[in-house]
Amino acid sequence: MVKLIGIKKINIAVFISGTGSNLKNLISHSLRKKSRYKICLIISNNSKAKGLNYAKKHNINKKIIHYENITNAEKTILKELKRNSIDLVCLAGFMKILSAKLIKKFKGKIINIHPSLLPKYKGLNTHQRAIENKEKFCGCSVHYVNSKLDSGKIILQKKVRIFKNDTAEKIKKKVLKQEHILYPKAISKVIVNL
Ligand code: GRF
């Protein structure tokens, strides 16, 4: 944590693999005057992730993790988390699964955003599966990360209506909009207990 004019700020690392629209949104929230957190580190398993451009733009440390060997990959991750004094890890479209060992080391300090109303539709292609099942609602969830995929305790959720002519692509856009409202709210809720 860094102390800024008497206010302790939480140091956050955001893990991404692609576009990074959630990352971009979290950075902009973190730059608000009253923000209680700072994005200090961006980690990606994908050196071509578009979201990595925000590191340079906002002068944030970044680290690309090579995943040929998960043990080595996670050793590097832990080293970076320590080096940057990270208090909270926010997964945002990170396409690798963290090991139980790493999660244990950061217990209660890793959260994720998932594009469905968990516990429904864990994993990939959530919107397409919701359409095929004729769901009336989809949405997004922010949850703590535990050793089972998309299964940790839910922090916040937001419902989004599915209309008759909605495609997975249309739903993705609607849900992403809500994700950008939900994730900062969930972080505010979580950091009170850190
Ligand atoms: C989001 O839909 C998030 O819920 C999921 O991956 C997507 C990441 O999008 N985990 P972006 O890279 O933040 O734009």
Side-chain angles (χ1 to χ4, degrees):
M1 276 182 222
V2 284
K3 258 195 160 184
L4 280 179
I5 330 165
I7 305 164
K8 272 185 196 161
K9 289 218 179 200
I10 298 289
N11 289 343
I12 291 183
V14 182
F15 285 32
I16 60 164
S17 297
T19 317
S21 73
N22 277 287
L23 165 67
K24 180 180 181 217
N25 177 60
L26 292 182
I27 294 171
S28 92
H29 273 261
S30 76
L31 295 175
R32 290 182 182 182
K33 230 179 172 179
K34 286 187 178 166
S35 164
R36 291 274 327 275
Y37 55 88
K38 184 173 181 243
I39 311 298
C40 302
L41 175 65
I42 300 168
I43 280 189
S44 178
N45 63 305
N46 173 12
S47 61
K48 295 198 169 78
K50 200 177 146 208
L52 282 170
N53 293 327
Y54 299 116
K56 196 170 179 198
K57 190 168 175 204
H58 296 279
N59 199 20
I60 300 171
N61 291 341
K62 73 169 178 196
K63 183 77 188 174
I64 292 149
I65 306 289
H66 302 287
Y67 254 86
E68 286 86 30
N69 174 315
I70 185 167
T71 311
N72 289 342
E74 291 197 343
K75 254 188 206 159
T76 312
I77 290 177
L78 267 179
K79 211 166 81 187
E80 286 300 318
L81 296 182
K82 276 192 191 137
R83 201 209 300 268
N84 290 277
S85 305
I86 296 302
D87 304 299
L88 179 71
V89 169
C90 294
L91 307 183
F94 186 60
M95 299 306 281
K96 292 284 177 189
I97 292 175
L98 300 175
S99 74
K101 204 170 156 194
L102 180 77
I103 293 167
K104 206 172 158 194
K105 285 207 172 117
F106 249 71
K107 199 166 181 263
K109 292 177 180 169
I110 309 178
I111 63 176
N112 179 42
I113 186 148
H114 182 74
S116 81
L117 293 171
L118 291 171
K120 280 188 165 182
Y121 306 111
K122 295 169 184 172
L124 300 174
N125 304 320
T126 54
H127 306 318
Q128 188 55 41
R129 286 188 282 145
I131 292 172
E132 281 162 16
N133 286 342
K134 302 198 181 343
E135 298 278 4
K136 288 211 160 53
F137 293 96
C138 57
C140 46
S141 311
V142 179
H143 64 93
Y144 284 102
V145 172
N146 66 11
S147 55
K148 285 191 191 144
L149 183 70
D150 301 326
S151 298
K153 191 175 165 216
I154 290 163
I155 300 158
L156 283 179
Q157 287 187 308
K158 178 73 185 176
K159 257 188 189 178
V160 174
R161 183 86 166 90
I162 299 180
F163 293 106
K164 230 180 160 190
N165 296 324
D166 275 351
T167 58
E169 203 47 41
K170 264 189 188 172
I171 296 173
K172 185 180 162 191
K173 278 191 190 143
K174 283 197 282 187
V175 171
L176 257 185
K177 224 174 170 180
Q178 294 307 320
E179 289 185 26
H180 297 162
I181 299 169
L182 198 71
Y183 216 171
K185 274 192 191 166
I187 292 175
S188 300
K189 203 173 161 195
V190 159
I191 59 180
V192 177
N193 301 317
L194 284 178

